[in-house]
Amino acid sequence: MRATPRASRTTDRPEELPRPTGPIRRFWRAHPWLVDSLLAGGYLVIAAFWALVTPLSSGVWEPIVVVIAPVAGVVLAAVALLFRRRHPWISFSVLIAIAAIASLSDTAVEPFGLAFALYALFVYRSNRSGWIGFAIAATLMVVLLPATSHVIRTGSAPPVTFDPAGSLLLIVLLIAALVGVTVGDRRRYISALLERADQLARERDQQARLATLAERARITREVHDVVAHSLSVMVSLADGAVALAQKDAIRSQDAVREIGDVGRQSLAEMRRLLGALGDEHPDGDPTLLRPNPGVDDLADLFGTFRAARLPVRVETQGNAPSSPALQNAIYRIVQEALTNALRYSREPTDVLVRLDYQSTGTTITVTDDGKAGPAQPSVGSGRGLIGIQERVRLYEGFVETGPRAGGGWRVQAEIPAAKEKE
């Protein structure tokens, strides 16, 4: 019996994944608001200098044009950049609106704020959103707004000339788009890897829990088989010993010795089952971890039930399967069926165990001729027949149980040959 697998602890980040290299990188990743604040603050300084110097260099000295309007636009743009991660489209819309107003007012447009907003679209939304934003910005800022501004100023169609400012803006936006594509793809790829790793970790833990539950159910069936069989035999032997104490002291002593033998055998089986759950042999004795009982151990099993005054008769046909697991299943099915007969059958005179090993499969039939009458009160847990059904179901076989005409009970289990070899 294998040890029960231990379920792994689920974590937010799988243990197999490496941590980001370098403490500085981990610090910036853990504090995104600080990064955005520094970026917005740096942009505020650069953009304010740009917005103030540009009107002054053109000879315009009006306070509204020189100070109030540029500073207000720069502050609004800096605030919009603070939300570029969570709301990139809003940030981009605010920045392009400020750039459009500056362009219509015949003010040089600084390209960096719009570039940061466009970069955020690629990284925090998708490449599709980023290219849509790039097309909007390029068309609006390089083509439509300069032409509209020229028409408003001169009233004539704009000439087809080289515009250095528009070309610079287009180059900066293209660089931001290419960098955003690279960083965004890498970010989404890593995110997909992390999500897949988390999913695999959850599936691994679920499989471990399922294996633990299956192993626990199997051990429960084994313990039930051992305890139910042994206690039923011991109770029957004890009743017989009491009945024979006055009439035949020698036979009474033999029954008491048989109780001790059954108890010791059961204790050894329990130690083997419990010892298989650990890494070491119980009591340092490796013999207690011998293989589970099989077909060769049925003779001793029949002897135990006969000693408990159950008239067991055996008929065998064919050669037993070689699979140890299947042999153990046959042993446990016969053990449980005879235990039920010992418990509930009323004064049986014949309990027949028929083992039919054929090329098409194995058939196990256990019948008794107990007297008809009111059903005996159940003292079991109901796991016996369920255990038989589960063992047979593992081999895709089927079980039939029920009373016989005229009294008695019948248990028949069939295991197909195709599943015996698995």
Side-chain angles (χ1 to χ4, degrees), residues 76-216:
L76 181 60
V79 172
L81 287 178
L82 287 174
F83 300 93
R84 65 189 184 94
R85 296 176 187 263
R86 293 172 176 78
H87 307 286
W89 269 116
I90 296 178
S91 178
F92 176 80
S93 300
V94 172
L95 265 298
I96 200 170
I98 294 174
I101 294 173
S103 178
L104 290 175
S105 62
D106 201 18
T107 303
V109 178
E110 60 83 18
F112 302 108
L114 191 57
F116 285 137
L118 181 63
Y119 168 86
L121 281 178
F122 281 99
V123 175
Y124 303 112
R125 278 297 177 264
S126 64
N127 288 341
R128 179 182 178 183
S129 297
W131 287 119
I132 292 175
F134 176 82
I136 293 173
T139 303
L140 190 63
M141 301 305 301
V142 180
V143 179
L144 296 180
L145 290 180
T148 304
S149 178
H150 185 275
V151 171
I152 293 174
R153 291 196 314 270
T154 64
S156 60
V160 180
T161 58
F162 175 74
D163 184 7
S167 299
L168 176 62
L169 178 61
L170 185 61
I171 291 174
V172 173
L173 291 179
L174 183 58
I175 293 174
L178 295 178
V179 175
V181 168
T182 302
V183 176
D185 286 345
R186 182 176 181 273
R187 179 187 179 91
R188 283 183 284 273
Y189 177 71
I190 293 177
S191 178
L193 289 180
L194 293 175
E195 183 178 356
R196 178 59 177 165
D198 288 340
Q199 181 182 357
L200 291 176
R202 289 192 298 269
E203 291 178 356
R204 176 196 62 194
D205 295 340
Q206 290 173 357
Q207 292 295 330
R209 285 193 291 270
L210 291 176
T212 300
L213 293 175
E215 188 74 1
R216 184 177 299 172

